[in-house]
Amino acid sequence: MDETDRWRHMAVAPKDGRRILVTIRPSEQGAAEVDLAYWSNGDQFGPEGWRASDSSPGRLVEYAEPELKCWMPMPTANLGGSSMPSPWEGDDAQQLDGTGI
């Protein structure tokens, strides 16, 4: 597995606006899933925080910190592979790539 294809703690996720993949925790609304998200410093449309990349002015999809389990950089194009990795299914106590410190 390529080094970029590893799930990492949200504590070390980049907050510079670049798009990343995130695992959304399972909830009563459904199973864990992967989404494309970015950190927004806030604007006239909403406060600072994580937003789904398909958000638009007036239709923000925002994630609270506890909703997001881990992240990984956008993978390089792999025409023979799947379009999205599987969500992180491990226990929170398991070590993800990075310490989160």
PDB file of all heavy atoms in Angstrom, residues 25-33 67:
ATOM      1  N   ARG A  25     -18.105   8.652  10.749  1.00  0.00           N
ATOM      2  CA  ARG A  25     -18.483   7.600  11.690  1.00  0.00           C
ATOM      3  C   ARG A  25     -19.891   7.063  11.400  1.00  0.00           C
ATOM      4  O   ARG A  25     -20.763   7.809  10.961  1.00  0.00           O
ATOM      5  CB  ARG A  25     -18.456   8.122  13.123  1.00  0.00           C
ATOM      6  CG  ARG A  25     -17.091   8.490  13.602  1.00  0.00           C
ATOM      7  CD  ARG A  25     -17.166   9.036  15.026  1.00  0.00           C
ATOM      8  NE  ARG A  25     -15.874   9.511  15.439  1.00  0.00           N
ATOM      9  CZ  ARG A  25     -14.905   8.762  15.929  1.00  0.00           C
ATOM     10  NH1 ARG A  25     -15.094   7.465  16.056  1.00  0.00           N
ATOM     11  NH2 ARG A  25     -13.759   9.288  16.291  1.00  0.00           N
ATOM     12  N   PRO A  26     -20.121   5.776  11.670  1.00  0.00           N
ATOM     13  CA  PRO A  26     -21.475   5.246  11.516  1.00  0.00           C
ATOM     14  C   PRO A  26     -22.392   5.896  12.554  1.00  0.00           C
ATOM     15  O   PRO A  26     -21.948   6.269  13.642  1.00  0.00           O
ATOM     16  CB  PRO A  26     -21.317   3.747  11.767  1.00  0.00           C
ATOM     17  CG  PRO A  26     -20.061   3.615  12.556  1.00  0.00           C
ATOM     18  CD  PRO A  26     -19.184   4.764  12.164  1.00  0.00           C
ATOM     19  N   SER A  27     -23.658   6.054  12.203  1.00  0.00           N
ATOM     20  CA  SER A  27     -24.625   6.652  13.122  1.00  0.00           C
ATOM     21  C   SER A  27     -25.993   6.045  12.855  1.00  0.00           C
ATOM     22  O   SER A  27     -26.132   5.164  12.011  1.00  0.00           O
ATOM     23  CB  SER A  27     -24.672   8.172  12.928  1.00  0.00           C
ATOM     24  OG  SER A  27     -25.229   8.475  11.667  1.00  0.00           O
ATOM     25  N   GLU A  28     -27.001   6.578  13.534  1.00  0.00           N
ATOM     26  CA  GLU A  28     -28.353   6.071  13.300  1.00  0.00           C
ATOM     27  C   GLU A  28     -28.825   6.397  11.883  1.00  0.00           C
ATOM     28  O   GLU A  28     -29.774   5.810  11.388  1.00  0.00           O
ATOM     29  CB  GLU A  28     -29.343   6.618  14.340  1.00  0.00           C
ATOM     30  CG  GLU A  28     -29.471   8.119  14.380  1.00  0.00           C
ATOM     31  CD  GLU A  28     -28.427   8.806  15.260  1.00  0.00           C
ATOM     32  OE1 GLU A  28     -27.616   8.136  15.915  1.00  0.00           O
ATOM     33  OE2 GLU A  28     -28.412  10.042  15.265  1.00  0.00           O
ATOM     34  N   GLN A  29     -28.144   7.333  11.194  1.00  0.00           N
ATOM     35  CA  GLN A  29     -28.496   7.656   9.817  1.00  0.00           C
ATOM     36  C   GLN A  29     -27.888   6.678   8.812  1.00  0.00           C
ATOM     37  O   GLN A  29     -28.268   6.687   7.648  1.00  0.00           O
ATOM     38  CB  GLN A  29     -28.046   9.076   9.450  1.00  0.00           C
ATOM     39  CG  GLN A  29     -28.974  10.157   9.965  1.00  0.00           C
ATOM     40  CD  GLN A  29     -28.675  10.528  11.407  1.00  0.00           C
ATOM     41  OE1 GLN A  29     -27.540  10.446  11.831  1.00  0.00           O
ATOM     42  NE2 GLN A  29     -29.700  10.894  12.144  1.00  0.00           N
ATOM     43  N   GLY A  30     -26.911   5.874   9.238  1.00  0.00           N
ATOM     44  CA  GLY A  30     -26.347   4.929   8.298  1.00  0.00           C
ATOM     45  C   GLY A  30     -24.974   4.434   8.681  1.00  0.00           C
ATOM     46  O   GLY A  30     -24.404   4.825   9.707  1.00  0.00           O
ATOM     47  N   ALA A  31     -24.434   3.580   7.830  1.00  0.00           N
ATOM     48  CA  ALA A  31     -23.120   2.972   8.054  1.00  0.00           C
ATOM     49  C   ALA A  31     -22.020   4.002   7.799  1.00  0.00           C
ATOM     50  O   ALA A  31     -22.256   5.066   7.220  1.00  0.00           O
ATOM     51  CB  ALA A  31     -22.956   1.789   7.106  1.00  0.00           C
ATOM     52  N   ALA A  32     -20.803   3.651   8.222  1.00  0.00           N
ATOM     53  CA  ALA A  32     -19.640   4.503   7.947  1.00  0.00           C
ATOM     54  C   ALA A  32     -19.500   4.677   6.442  1.00  0.00           C
ATOM     55  O   ALA A  32     -19.831   3.788   5.670  1.00  0.00           O
ATOM     56  CB  ALA A  32     -18.386   3.873   8.533  1.00  0.00           C
ATOM     57  N   GLU A  33     -19.027   5.843   6.046  1.00  0.00           N
ATOM     58  CA  GLU A  33     -18.806   6.083   4.630  1.00  0.00           C
ATOM     59  C   GLU A  33     -17.636   7.029   4.451  1.00  0.00           C
ATOM     60  O   GLU A  33     -17.159   7.635   5.401  1.00  0.00           O
ATOM     61  CB  GLU A  33     -20.052   6.651   3.947  1.00  0.00           C
ATOM     62  CG  GLU A  33     -20.529   7.961   4.514  1.00  0.00           C
ATOM     63  CD  GLU A  33     -21.817   8.437   3.844  1.00  0.00           C
ATOM     64  OE1 GLU A  33     -22.757   7.651   3.716  1.00  0.00           O
ATOM     65  OE2 GLU A  33     -21.849   9.607   3.440  1.00  0.00           O
ATOM     66  N   GLU A  67     -17.972  13.696  14.235  1.00  0.00           N
ATOM     67  CA  GLU A  67     -18.509  12.895  13.132  1.00  0.00           C
ATOM     68  C   GLU A  67     -17.420  12.283  12.263  1.00  0.00           C
ATOM     69  O   GLU A  67     -17.654  11.287  11.581  1.00  0.00           O
ATOM     70  CB  GLU A  67     -19.397  13.754  12.224  1.00  0.00           C
ATOM     71  CG  GLU A  67     -20.706  14.166  12.812  1.00  0.00           C
ATOM     72  CD  GLU A  67     -21.505  14.973  11.822  1.00  0.00           C
ATOM     73  OE1 GLU A  67     -21.280  16.196  11.731  1.00  0.00           O
ATOM     74  OE2 GLU A  67     -22.353  14.381  11.125  1.00  0.00           O
TER      75      GLU A  67
END
